């Protein structure tokens, strides 16, 4: 079994920053892509950012480009999402997901393991 745990969410004013962490443990495969998704009330879960196993390829949804940065430390089985210049519309529950293999994916159904989510609330 694989466990995925997110941390680092919270309440922040617009324009501020947060850093989310995602720790994977248990029977992880030797390689996996990682993705950050978010889901706001009444909306579908959407990709925010994703990274391949080696960290050489990343993907960002248009609304976060230039503000968010995804990274990973394979030695620690951890991924990060640095979120800067946060906006009200970034408010959501943020989920980390793992996908077996070398590459990342951009749809939820392509991921194998999920965390419970961490709330990010941006206030005015």
């Amino acid at each position: 079994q694989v466990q995925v745990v997110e941390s680092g969410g919270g309440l922040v004013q617009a324009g501020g920053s947060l850093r989310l962490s995602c720790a994977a443990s248990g029977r992880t495969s030797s390689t996996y892509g990682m993705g950050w998704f978010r889901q706001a009330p009444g909306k579908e879960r959407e990709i925010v950012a994703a990274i391949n196993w080696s960290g050489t390829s990343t993907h960002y949804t248009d609304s976060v480009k230039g503000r968010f940065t995804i990274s990973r430390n394979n030695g620690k089985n951890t991924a990060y999402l640095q979120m800067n210049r946060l906006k009200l519309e970034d408010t959501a529950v943020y989920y980390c997901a793992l996908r077996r293999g070398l590459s990342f994916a951009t749809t939820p159904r392509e991921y194998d393991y999920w965390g419970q989510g961490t709330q990010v609330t941006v206030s005015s």
Side-chain angles (χ1 to χ4, degrees):
Q1 190 67 15
V2 175
Q3 292 80 43
V4 180
V5 179
E6 305 97 336
S7 61
L11 175 65
V12 64
Q13 286 190 324
S17 298
L18 282 175
R19 188 194 195 204
L20 304 184
S21 297
C22 169
S25 61
R27 300 181 65 180
T28 58
S29 64
S30 58
T31 61
Y32 49 88
M34 300 182 81
W36 284 99
F37 291 78
R38 66 186 178 188
Q39 188 166 18
K43 294 188 177 182
E44 292 186 353
R45 191 169 297 189
E46 63 171 356
I47 185 74
V48 177
I51 189 167
N52 66 346
W53 165 250
S54 63
T56 56
S57 181
T58 58
H59 168 85
Y60 297 94
T61 194
D62 286 346
S63 62
V64 308
K65 285 180 181 177
R67 301 189 297 123
F68 291 11
T69 302
I70 189 171
S71 61
R72 64 187 296 164
N73 182 330
N74 289 341
K76 296 183 178 181
N77 285 334
T78 302
Y80 307 95
L81 185 68
Q82 178 67 44
M83 305 187 295
N84 299 327
R85 305 199 308 276
L86 282 159
K87 303 177 179 180
L88 296 178
E89 52 264 40
D90 294 319
T91 295
V93 177
Y94 283 69
Y95 298 90
C96 178
L98 271 60
R99 178 175 187 268
R100 290 186 294 266
L102 295 172
S103 63
F104 61 77
T106 58
T107 61
R109 62 180 176 84
E110 296 177 277
Y111 283 81
D112 302 299
Y113 306 103
W114 290 84
Q116 292 299 307
T118 185
Q119 177 70 46
V120 172
T121 303
V122 184
S123 65
S124 59

